[in-house]
Amino acid sequence: MEMLAFLIPVALLLGLTGLGAFIWSVRSGQFDDPQGDAARILLDDDEPLTERN
Amino acid sequence: MTLTADMTKGCPSGLAPAGDQIDGDVSAFVRKVGGEKTLHLSVRGAKCAGCLGKIEAAVGALDGVQSARLNLSTGRLAVRWEGGLDPNAISGCVSDLGYGAAPFDPDASEGAAKSEERSLLIAMGVAAFAAANVMLLSVSVWSGHGEMGEATRRTMHAISGAIALPAALFAGRPFFRSAWSVLRRGHANMDVPISLAVLLALGVSISETIRGGEHAYFDACVMLLFFLLIGRFLDARLRRRTHVAAQELALLQSRSATRLDRDGSARSVKASEILTGDTILVAAGERVLVDLEVIEGRSDADESMVSGETVPRAITPGMRLYAGTVNLSQAIRGKALADADGSLMSEIGRMLEAGEQRRSTYRRIADKAVSLYVPLVHTTAALTFAGWLIAGAGVGQALMVAVSTLIITCPCALALAAPAVQVVAAERLFRKGVFLRSGDALERIAECDHVVFDKTGTLTLGVPELVEVDGMKDVVARAARLARVSRHPLSRAIVAAAGPGEVAPRVEERAGLGLEAEIDGVRCRLGAAEWVGANDAPASARLQLWYGEGDKPPVCFTFEDALRPGAAGIADALKRRGATLEILSGDRAEAVAEIAAKLGVDSWRAKASPADKVERLEALRAEGRKVLMIGDGLNDAGSLSLAHASLAPGGAMDVSQSASDGVYTGAGLDAIPTVIDGARVASSRMRQNFTLAAAYNLVAVPIAVAGFATPLVAAIAMSTSSIVVTLNALRPHVKWRAT
């Protein structure tokens, strides 16, 4: 049972990290143009960052 | 691999045909902030990585351009640059690559729609995170049932609550807000039972946790929100796509025109900036943006988009030209008779609005289901509470059972039933080249029993084709030497029939008459019968053009607005689906009669004005017919928005596209039976889903009322019902019936 005191916070922390990453990616516009991003990966000389607008 | 501009025109993968060329000057749409200029272009025909690379590389290489970014999902290109680069060079660069480009003003409402979608997505993520973690804890509580000590269970519940409470309050905001706003006005919608269930479940669970009770519904709460938010997000995404399509209307209105100022200088202005009385210069091939009175110049007008009439009309000074007309042969000057708001376009705009209002009274299946469902569920919960009290239970226990009834009946499956089907069906049709603009369009298309077609551009290609030549093939080739200099649709038809070849020197274009040139000392004329010298030409219902060389007897070319591929079978295909057909056209009676006879359509009407069309649709509506209208011109826009459901071909006027429920791409009419089949399947799927949701409640409610709805039972029942309706939506169609 003592393990739980350790495992639950770890599980939550991992989950929160994932959630944070998700929110960051939505806010930075990575879900705005799924089609374009899928196509852009095929190009060599693209710019790394999505423009915020 | 670096993609360069010198590759093939248009989409290199062949996914999309080359877009329409740009018309007009885009410099009116440039926004300046400091030394930096921005231009937004709507690019048509860009579909793949090749397009993206080509456009961004070519535009980015222009002098002074700092960034060029194309959004493939919306087809919009944002360009930022510094210095004296001519904005027309940017749009010219895009159209040189083989894409259509039109300038537009990004507006605020689009940003709002985008941020709504984002916040729903974030809420969904939060709910998913909370649901996953709380479920882990709940599973351990359930599996430890009977063995777990009270203290451990209470700790588990407390941790669950600590996760679920903020998450539910955050993720539930869209529902709470909407429920509160309707409640304040004394109404109810689907969000009211949702909010009530979530808040009550939270409240009961907190009190259970504090009392150290056995059941807490934290998991049900967040899972419920997660499922509901999926439906909400799908819905928002569909609506935003609709919004982007509707903006095309604004695009047409906001194209630029050339205004001649008092001092004689020409300036490019937005259509919205034109005032009554301004002098407008319309170049050959340019579209007229506001109603004009011609002051100077002779030319030909293609009014097929305005009236459906296929024969070009001669333009003479003093004549009135309506917005949407294309000036074919020579530049003309005109006086604006009204500003952009007062022209024919805005009259059609008013018709659209009236139609939209009529349509907005349509109640979707989902709304009908909710209006039955909500009172039923709440009465059941109230009766349960009263029943348990009467049976001698304590207030706490009775409340607990009533709340569990509310939770288990929360319209989770109901909220997913329609959006899931709509998104799946819209996606399937999208792959077949049909783009639907709203979810409820499917329901309306499925109900239609009468199909009304426009002729020009819808049943026919809207472009004349050379059909008969008296004489030899090489006459066509010789006539084409003249025709190659002209933008007149009949000239183009001759060029298309003759193929590539030489151009005669010094060809003169005489507005309303035809083309003239001297080749090897022989005077050649291509044009109207009398002008060419065919005085005894027989009168014909068809489009004709005469070609004469010197003293030789003139040769007659006959043209026909050819049927679209697939049109021949369309009548049978639709009749087999139980629909009746009708043609409403603005073109001449002979032309319409011929097409109607070819297709086997008995009911038709020619020379119909936009108002006539609207009137006819009103009459059909009064008879109780559900009309599916298919049209492409400006004159169809009003009736498209009034019809029960409507479709427009991909080449239609932007106004018509945004007035209709869907746009089908490709040259053929085969898409229409496909859309009807798809809509009917989707509609029956929605009904099945509502039946499934009702069946679920028939089983779940007695269990809850009897007090057996423990959190475990609730979790299983709720997710099962949501998954079942989603799977039913995803189930492949048995078979798309052959057209």
PDB file of all heavy atoms in Angstrom, chain B residues 257-270 273-275 277-281 295 333-334:
ATOM      1  N   ALA B 257     -11.861  46.783 -58.197  1.00  0.00           N
ATOM      2  CA  ALA B 257     -12.239  47.336 -59.495  1.00  0.00           C
ATOM      3  C   ALA B 257     -11.323  48.507 -59.790  1.00  0.00           C
ATOM      4  O   ALA B 257     -10.655  49.034 -58.892  1.00  0.00           O
ATOM      5  CB  ALA B 257     -13.688  47.807 -59.445  1.00  0.00           C
ATOM      6  N   THR B 258     -11.273  48.917 -61.058  1.00  0.00           N
ATOM      7  CA  THR B 258     -10.439  50.062 -61.414  1.00  0.00           C
ATOM      8  C   THR B 258     -11.322  51.301 -61.506  1.00  0.00           C
ATOM      9  O   THR B 258     -12.250  51.352 -62.316  1.00  0.00           O
ATOM     10  CB  THR B 258      -9.737  49.820 -62.756  1.00  0.00           C
ATOM     11  OG1 THR B 258      -9.153  48.532 -62.710  1.00  0.00           O
ATOM     12  CG2 THR B 258      -8.685  50.864 -63.008  1.00  0.00           C
ATOM     13  N   ARG B 259     -11.040  52.266 -60.663  1.00  0.00           N
ATOM     14  CA  ARG B 259     -11.828  53.495 -60.672  1.00  0.00           C
ATOM     15  C   ARG B 259     -11.032  54.601 -61.353  1.00  0.00           C
ATOM     16  O   ARG B 259      -9.826  54.726 -61.129  1.00  0.00           O
ATOM     17  CB  ARG B 259     -12.152  53.897 -59.230  1.00  0.00           C
ATOM     18  CG  ARG B 259     -13.076  55.092 -59.141  1.00  0.00           C
ATOM     19  CD  ARG B 259     -13.503  55.343 -57.729  1.00  0.00           C
ATOM     20  NE  ARG B 259     -12.379  55.848 -56.931  1.00  0.00           N
ATOM     21  CZ  ARG B 259     -12.388  55.891 -55.614  1.00  0.00           C
ATOM     22  NH1 ARG B 259     -13.424  55.453 -54.931  1.00  0.00           N
ATOM     23  NH2 ARG B 259     -11.358  56.372 -54.953  1.00  0.00           N
ATOM     24  N   LEU B 260     -11.687  55.374 -62.193  1.00  0.00           N
ATOM     25  CA  LEU B 260     -11.023  56.508 -62.829  1.00  0.00           C
ATOM     26  C   LEU B 260     -11.365  57.754 -62.030  1.00  0.00           C
ATOM     27  O   LEU B 260     -12.531  58.121 -61.914  1.00  0.00           O
ATOM     28  CB  LEU B 260     -11.503  56.660 -64.272  1.00  0.00           C
ATOM     29  CG  LEU B 260     -11.085  55.516 -65.216  1.00  0.00           C
ATOM     30  CD1 LEU B 260     -11.751  55.675 -66.562  1.00  0.00           C
ATOM     31  CD2 LEU B 260      -9.576  55.471 -65.366  1.00  0.00           C
ATOM     32  N   ASP B 261     -10.339  58.388 -61.465  1.00  0.00           N
ATOM     33  CA  ASP B 261     -10.583  59.599 -60.690  1.00  0.00           C
ATOM     34  C   ASP B 261     -10.722  60.798 -61.621  1.00  0.00           C
ATOM     35  O   ASP B 261     -10.442  60.705 -62.806  1.00  0.00           O
ATOM     36  CB  ASP B 261      -9.445  59.792 -59.683  1.00  0.00           C
ATOM     37  CG  ASP B 261      -9.526  58.752 -58.575  1.00  0.00           C
ATOM     38  OD1 ASP B 261     -10.637  58.181 -58.414  1.00  0.00           O
ATOM     39  OD2 ASP B 261      -8.514  58.482 -57.918  1.00  0.00           O
ATOM     40  N   ARG B 262     -11.156  61.903 -61.040  1.00  0.00           N
ATOM     41  CA  ARG B 262     -11.415  63.117 -61.849  1.00  0.00           C
ATOM     42  C   ARG B 262     -10.252  63.494 -62.743  1.00  0.00           C
ATOM     43  O   ARG B 262     -10.413  63.860 -63.891  1.00  0.00           O
ATOM     44  CB  ARG B 262     -11.705  64.301 -60.912  1.00  0.00           C
ATOM     45  CG  ARG B 262     -13.092  64.192 -60.329  1.00  0.00           C
ATOM     46  CD  ARG B 262     -13.976  65.354 -60.709  1.00  0.00           C
ATOM     47  NE  ARG B 262     -15.320  65.085 -60.220  1.00  0.00           N
ATOM     48  CZ  ARG B 262     -15.701  65.380 -58.980  1.00  0.00           C
ATOM     49  NH1 ARG B 262     -14.881  65.992 -58.171  1.00  0.00           N
ATOM     50  NH2 ARG B 262     -16.912  65.076 -58.577  1.00  0.00           N
ATOM     51  N   ASP B 263      -9.020  63.390 -62.171  1.00  0.00           N
ATOM     52  CA  ASP B 263      -7.845  63.789 -62.934  1.00  0.00           C
ATOM     53  C   ASP B 263      -7.461  62.756 -63.985  1.00  0.00           C
ATOM     54  O   ASP B 263      -6.440  62.876 -64.645  1.00  0.00           O
ATOM     55  CB  ASP B 263      -6.665  64.055 -61.986  1.00  0.00           C
ATOM     56  CG  ASP B 263      -6.378  62.849 -61.109  1.00  0.00           C
ATOM     57  OD1 ASP B 263      -7.073  61.829 -61.288  1.00  0.00           O
ATOM     58  OD2 ASP B 263      -5.474  62.924 -60.259  1.00  0.00           O
ATOM     59  N   GLY B 264      -8.266  61.716 -64.118  1.00  0.00           N
ATOM     60  CA  GLY B 264      -8.021  60.742 -65.162  1.00  0.00           C
ATOM     61  C   GLY B 264      -7.135  59.584 -64.740  1.00  0.00           C
ATOM     62  O   GLY B 264      -6.906  58.666 -65.525  1.00  0.00           O
ATOM     63  N   SER B 265      -6.632  59.622 -63.493  1.00  0.00           N
ATOM     64  CA  SER B 265      -5.759  58.538 -63.070  1.00  0.00           C
ATOM     65  C   SER B 265      -6.586  57.324 -62.645  1.00  0.00           C
ATOM     66  O   SER B 265      -7.662  57.464 -62.082  1.00  0.00           O
ATOM     67  CB  SER B 265      -4.882  59.011 -61.912  1.00  0.00           C
ATOM     68  OG  SER B 265      -5.704  59.347 -60.825  1.00  0.00           O
ATOM     69  N   ALA B 266      -6.061  56.137 -62.940  1.00  0.00           N
ATOM     70  CA  ALA B 266      -6.764  54.905 -62.592  1.00  0.00           C
ATOM     71  C   ALA B 266      -6.265  54.406 -61.245  1.00  0.00           C
ATOM     72  O   ALA B 266      -5.071  54.384 -60.981  1.00  0.00           O
ATOM     73  CB  ALA B 266      -6.504  53.860 -63.672  1.00  0.00           C
ATOM     74  N   ARG B 267      -7.211  54.014 -60.394  1.00  0.00           N
ATOM     75  CA  ARG B 267      -6.840  53.534 -59.072  1.00  0.00           C
ATOM     76  C   ARG B 267      -7.580  52.239 -58.773  1.00  0.00           C
ATOM     77  O   ARG B 267      -8.757  52.097 -59.098  1.00  0.00           O
ATOM     78  CB  ARG B 267      -7.224  54.569 -58.019  1.00  0.00           C
ATOM     79  CG  ARG B 267      -6.053  55.097 -57.202  1.00  0.00           C
ATOM     80  CD  ARG B 267      -6.492  56.324 -56.455  1.00  0.00           C
ATOM     81  NE  ARG B 267      -7.574  56.003 -55.530  1.00  0.00           N
ATOM     82  CZ  ARG B 267      -7.373  55.722 -54.239  1.00  0.00           C
ATOM     83  NH1 ARG B 267      -6.171  55.719 -53.741  1.00  0.00           N
ATOM     84  NH2 ARG B 267      -8.379  55.445 -53.463  1.00  0.00           N
ATOM     85  N   SER B 268      -6.882  51.296 -58.155  1.00  0.00           N
ATOM     86  CA  SER B 268      -7.532  50.046 -57.799  1.00  0.00           C
ATOM     87  C   SER B 268      -8.220  50.212 -56.440  1.00  0.00           C
ATOM     88  O   SER B 268      -7.602  50.637 -55.471  1.00  0.00           O
ATOM     89  CB  SER B 268      -6.480  48.956 -57.710  1.00  0.00           C
ATOM     90  OG  SER B 268      -7.019  47.843 -57.080  1.00  0.00           O
ATOM     91  N   VAL B 269      -9.516  49.931 -56.391  1.00  0.00           N
ATOM     92  CA  VAL B 269     -10.245  50.067 -55.120  1.00  0.00           C
ATOM     93  C   VAL B 269     -11.037  48.793 -54.866  1.00  0.00           C
ATOM     94  O   VAL B 269     -11.322  48.033 -55.786  1.00  0.00           O
ATOM     95  CB  VAL B 269     -11.216  51.263 -55.144  1.00  0.00           C
ATOM     96  CG1 VAL B 269     -10.473  52.563 -55.169  1.00  0.00           C
ATOM     97  CG2 VAL B 269     -12.165  51.155 -56.321  1.00  0.00           C
ATOM     98  N   LYS B 270     -11.381  48.574 -53.590  1.00  0.00           N
ATOM     99  CA  LYS B 270     -12.245  47.446 -53.260  1.00  0.00           C
ATOM    100  C   LYS B 270     -13.656  47.755 -53.736  1.00  0.00           C
ATOM    101  O   LYS B 270     -14.060  48.925 -53.769  1.00  0.00           O
ATOM    102  CB  LYS B 270     -12.305  47.249 -51.743  1.00  0.00           C
ATOM    103  CG  LYS B 270     -11.017  46.774 -51.147  1.00  0.00           C
ATOM    104  CD  LYS B 270     -11.212  46.559 -49.656  1.00  0.00           C
ATOM    105  CE  LYS B 270      -9.897  46.740 -48.923  1.00  0.00           C
ATOM    106  NZ  LYS B 270     -10.016  46.656 -47.478  1.00  0.00           N
ATOM    107  N   GLU B 273     -15.697  50.058 -51.741  1.00  0.00           N
ATOM    108  CA  GLU B 273     -15.374  51.493 -51.694  1.00  0.00           C
ATOM    109  C   GLU B 273     -15.986  52.275 -52.845  1.00  0.00           C
ATOM    110  O   GLU B 273     -15.866  53.492 -52.911  1.00  0.00           O
ATOM    111  CB  GLU B 273     -13.854  51.680 -51.723  1.00  0.00           C
ATOM    112  CG  GLU B 273     -13.178  51.267 -50.428  1.00  0.00           C
ATOM    113  CD  GLU B 273     -11.666  51.276 -50.544  1.00  0.00           C
ATOM    114  OE1 GLU B 273     -11.136  51.859 -51.505  1.00  0.00           O
ATOM    115  OE2 GLU B 273     -11.021  50.686 -49.670  1.00  0.00           O
ATOM    116  N   ILE B 274     -16.616  51.568 -53.788  1.00  0.00           N
ATOM    117  CA  ILE B 274     -17.198  52.256 -54.940  1.00  0.00           C
ATOM    118  C   ILE B 274     -18.481  52.968 -54.518  1.00  0.00           C
ATOM    119  O   ILE B 274     -19.308  52.401 -53.809  1.00  0.00           O
ATOM    120  CB  ILE B 274     -17.515  51.252 -56.070  1.00  0.00           C
ATOM    121  CG1 ILE B 274     -16.220  50.604 -56.548  1.00  0.00           C
ATOM    122  CG2 ILE B 274     -18.221  51.937 -57.237  1.00  0.00           C
ATOM    123  CD1 ILE B 274     -16.431  49.503 -57.544  1.00  0.00           C
ATOM    124  N   LEU B 275     -18.598  54.235 -54.956  1.00  0.00           N
ATOM    125  CA  LEU B 275     -19.797  55.000 -54.621  1.00  0.00           C
ATOM    126  C   LEU B 275     -20.609  55.232 -55.887  1.00  0.00           C
ATOM    127  O   LEU B 275     -20.070  55.184 -57.003  1.00  0.00           O
ATOM    128  CB  LEU B 275     -19.405  56.342 -54.009  1.00  0.00           C
ATOM    129  CG  LEU B 275     -18.580  56.261 -52.725  1.00  0.00           C
ATOM    130  CD1 LEU B 275     -18.133  57.652 -52.299  1.00  0.00           C
ATOM    131  CD2 LEU B 275     -19.381  55.594 -51.617  1.00  0.00           C
ATOM    132  N   GLY B 277     -22.074  56.856 -58.953  1.00  0.00           N
ATOM    133  CA  GLY B 277     -21.574  57.948 -59.775  1.00  0.00           C
ATOM    134  C   GLY B 277     -20.112  57.828 -60.141  1.00  0.00           C
ATOM    135  O   GLY B 277     -19.638  58.560 -61.008  1.00  0.00           O
ATOM    136  N   ASP B 278     -19.370  56.942 -59.493  1.00  0.00           N
ATOM    137  CA  ASP B 278     -17.956  56.766 -59.828  1.00  0.00           C
ATOM    138  C   ASP B 278     -17.816  56.238 -61.253  1.00  0.00           C
ATOM    139  O   ASP B 278     -18.666  55.487 -61.728  1.00  0.00           O
ATOM    140  CB  ASP B 278     -17.308  55.744 -58.883  1.00  0.00           C
ATOM    141  CG  ASP B 278     -16.973  56.355 -57.539  1.00  0.00           C
ATOM    142  OD1 ASP B 278     -17.129  57.587 -57.415  1.00  0.00           O
ATOM    143  OD2 ASP B 278     -16.595  55.615 -56.623  1.00  0.00           O
ATOM    144  N   THR B 279     -16.716  56.623 -61.896  1.00  0.00           N
ATOM    145  CA  THR B 279     -16.445  56.085 -63.228  1.00  0.00           C
ATOM    146  C   THR B 279     -15.555  54.856 -63.089  1.00  0.00           C
ATOM    147  O   THR B 279     -14.516  54.905 -62.422  1.00  0.00           O
ATOM    148  CB  THR B 279     -15.741  57.135 -64.098  1.00  0.00           C
ATOM    149  OG1 THR B 279     -16.505  58.326 -64.044  1.00  0.00           O
ATOM    150  CG2 THR B 279     -15.641  56.653 -65.533  1.00  0.00           C
ATOM    151  N   ILE B 280     -15.997  53.757 -63.677  1.00  0.00           N
ATOM    152  CA  ILE B 280     -15.288  52.488 -63.517  1.00  0.00           C
ATOM    153  C   ILE B 280     -14.785  52.034 -64.873  1.00  0.00           C
ATOM    154  O   ILE B 280     -15.498  52.126 -65.870  1.00  0.00           O
ATOM    155  CB  ILE B 280     -16.233  51.401 -62.965  1.00  0.00           C
ATOM    156  CG1 ILE B 280     -16.930  51.872 -61.700  1.00  0.00           C
ATOM    157  CG2 ILE B 280     -15.496  50.092 -62.728  1.00  0.00           C
ATOM    158  CD1 ILE B 280     -16.039  52.063 -60.525  1.00  0.00           C
ATOM    159  N   LEU B 281     -13.541  51.555 -64.889  1.00  0.00           N
ATOM    160  CA  LEU B 281     -12.983  51.013 -66.117  1.00  0.00           C
ATOM    161  C   LEU B 281     -13.039  49.486 -66.021  1.00  0.00           C
ATOM    162  O   LEU B 281     -12.551  48.902 -65.061  1.00  0.00           O
ATOM    163  CB  LEU B 281     -11.530  51.474 -66.251  1.00  0.00           C
ATOM    164  CG  LEU B 281     -10.802  51.037 -67.509  1.00  0.00           C
ATOM    165  CD1 LEU B 281     -11.319  51.800 -68.715  1.00  0.00           C
ATOM    166  CD2 LEU B 281      -9.305  51.256 -67.365  1.00  0.00           C
ATOM    167  N   ILE B 295     -20.824  54.160 -70.377  1.00  0.00           N
ATOM    168  CA  ILE B 295     -20.653  55.512 -70.910  1.00  0.00           C
ATOM    169  C   ILE B 295     -19.958  55.448 -72.253  1.00  0.00           C
ATOM    170  O   ILE B 295     -20.304  56.140 -73.182  1.00  0.00           O
ATOM    171  CB  ILE B 295     -19.761  56.384 -69.981  1.00  0.00           C
ATOM    172  CG1 ILE B 295     -20.242  56.324 -68.545  1.00  0.00           C
ATOM    173  CG2 ILE B 295     -19.719  57.816 -70.469  1.00  0.00           C
ATOM    174  CD1 ILE B 295     -19.314  57.039 -67.596  1.00  0.00           C
ATOM    175  N   ARG B 333     -15.974  51.876 -70.309  1.00  0.00           N
ATOM    176  CA  ARG B 333     -16.098  52.731 -69.128  1.00  0.00           C
ATOM    177  C   ARG B 333     -17.554  52.774 -68.734  1.00  0.00           C
ATOM    178  O   ARG B 333     -18.431  52.787 -69.609  1.00  0.00           O
ATOM    179  CB  ARG B 333     -15.661  54.156 -69.445  1.00  0.00           C
ATOM    180  CG  ARG B 333     -14.184  54.315 -69.457  1.00  0.00           C
ATOM    181  CD  ARG B 333     -13.845  55.643 -70.060  1.00  0.00           C
ATOM    182  NE  ARG B 333     -12.441  55.628 -70.430  1.00  0.00           N
ATOM    183  CZ  ARG B 333     -11.602  56.612 -70.110  1.00  0.00           C
ATOM    184  NH1 ARG B 333     -12.033  57.675 -69.484  1.00  0.00           N
ATOM    185  NH2 ARG B 333     -10.335  56.525 -70.444  1.00  0.00           N
ATOM    186  N   GLY B 334     -17.789  52.820 -67.447  1.00  0.00           N
ATOM    187  CA  GLY B 334     -19.180  52.859 -67.013  1.00  0.00           C
ATOM    188  C   GLY B 334     -19.327  53.705 -65.772  1.00  0.00           C
ATOM    189  O   GLY B 334     -18.353  53.952 -65.047  1.00  0.00           O
TER     190      GLY B 334
END
